[in-house]
Amino acid sequence: MEINEEKRNKFMEYAGKRVNNVLHDMQILEPMARSSVYDFTKEDVEEMFGAMQSTLNDVRAEFNKKFEEKARNEKKVFSFGNTKVVAEKVEDEVIDLDKKNREAKLNGDNLRSERKRLSDEIGKLMKADQKEEAGKIRQEVQSVNSAIEENEELEEKYTEEIRNRMMKIPNIIDDSVPIGKDDSENVELEKFGKKKEFNFEIPYHTDIMENLDGIDLDSARKISGNGFYFLTGDIARLHSAVLAYARDFMINKGFTYCIPPFMINSASVDGVMSFAERDNMMYKIEGEDLYLIGTSEHSMIARFMDTIIKEEKLPITLTSYSPCFRKEVGAHGIEERGVYRVHQFEKQEMIVISKPECSMDWYNKMWKLSVDLFRSWNVPVRQLDCCSGDLADLKVKSVDIEAWSPRQQKYFEVGSCSNLGDAQARRLGIRVNGENGKYYPHTLNNTVCTPPRMLIVFLENNLNEDGSISIP
């Protein structure tokens, strides 16, 4: 559900200007009322003004009523697991809070109008040397000022509560997303590459690395705990070489290379992910409004926060390198022996900001780039369509790219490509200035490659019987 706050604010701004115009007209009407030409008394003019303001308040009330009805009629049905659930609880809370907030705004406008009226009256009394009467009205102004302060605090409270609740409303998934309860019901779409047959047993990936003096988990565990590692020698060189290869692969596809900040503030975090993702993934820097990024997508998309992009600049296609830091709360657990799921790793990412009508074309181009990259390393992969129960709140559609592990005789995830529609753009205030006005673009992201998972399938699929590795 979308509550069009921008249109409502524009209307209220217009209404406020009309109030000010009427107040201005009062200053013109009053001397006219005193002239013999029109034969109006001051009371006549005030009565006319009151009627005009009453009419304007009626218009506002009618607008608010229509707005609330429209909001309630625009509830959307979201897909979770294999059932259809109407997100009524949060939506009703938002609508009720918005009603209270609009009432508070109207009350604030009326209070400010009253304050101006009283201030004008004080000015007239002072000119007439009626200081005692002016003093009494000053007390009324003080009372109105206190009421305005209380009302502003109420507006701020309602605005923040509305924002917090609206941030919890999930995106609307694409019609093509399969319905399922969790990742066990994701759907295989296509396989790429022939699986290599080995006539010897494939060791565990850390055994391969240790045989090449390429990894030290014990020392990393001693100084950092589980989920960290030292890479050394040729394995460390291979790690860096693969990232450099992935970087150049993307540059050759027309993407612009970037190295982003590795820490971002809370406004950026809330703009790129749901609250649940933030709590499960992000490391907070103590005493600072900063988080360590979980992926460079976070910095790269947040880079355009509160920006209006010229339409001719679209699509924006970027590829970025960064270290990534993840708590992995609620995940499948950090491995003590392996490096499949860890707290720290490095990653080459791709992001696209596009016109809404072009985003699904880019989605299909992006996941195919991941397939092409892994196939260039002789690694078989498959495309897995993520079901509704496996989609994060902001995603419209997502596909996992899984690579073949000859040791485990199964595929496992090495990357994920997602179309988030305009969710991130709305949360971050990213807009495009197009021919027909401003609109929110779509944002997409995809993993190019992520060591050390990439190292696991690279080593296993290119391992020789003597323990050496063939470099494609």
Side-chain angles (χ1 to χ4, degrees), residues 119-177:
S119 297
D120 290 344
E121 186 67 22
I122 290 171
K124 294 169 188 174
L125 290 170
M126 292 298 290
K127 286 180 181 179
D129 201 27
Q130 299 179 29
K131 295 181 180 179
E132 185 176 345
E133 290 298 320
K136 292 178 182 178
I137 296 179
R138 281 197 182 95
Q139 292 179 356
E140 292 184 47
V141 171
Q142 290 176 359
S143 176
V144 172
N145 283 336
S146 297
I148 289 174
E149 288 180 10
E150 291 177 7
N151 195 78
E152 287 175 347
E153 290 177 2
L154 199 59
E155 285 184 49
E156 290 177 5
K157 174 189 172 186
Y158 288 145
T159 299
E160 184 62 22
E161 289 183 2
I162 289 169
R163 177 185 175 276
N164 288 339
R165 283 166 173 78
M166 289 192 72
M167 295 282 259
K168 294 178 182 178
I169 297 176
N171 209 340
I172 301 171
I173 63 177
D174 189 76
D175 291 340
S176 65
V177 173

Side-chain angles (χ1 to χ4, degrees), residues 388-400:
S388 56
D390 193 33
L391 287 181
D393 284 351
L394 302 190
K395 295 181 179 181
V396 172
K397 187 172 177 63
S398 187
V399 63
D400 285 344

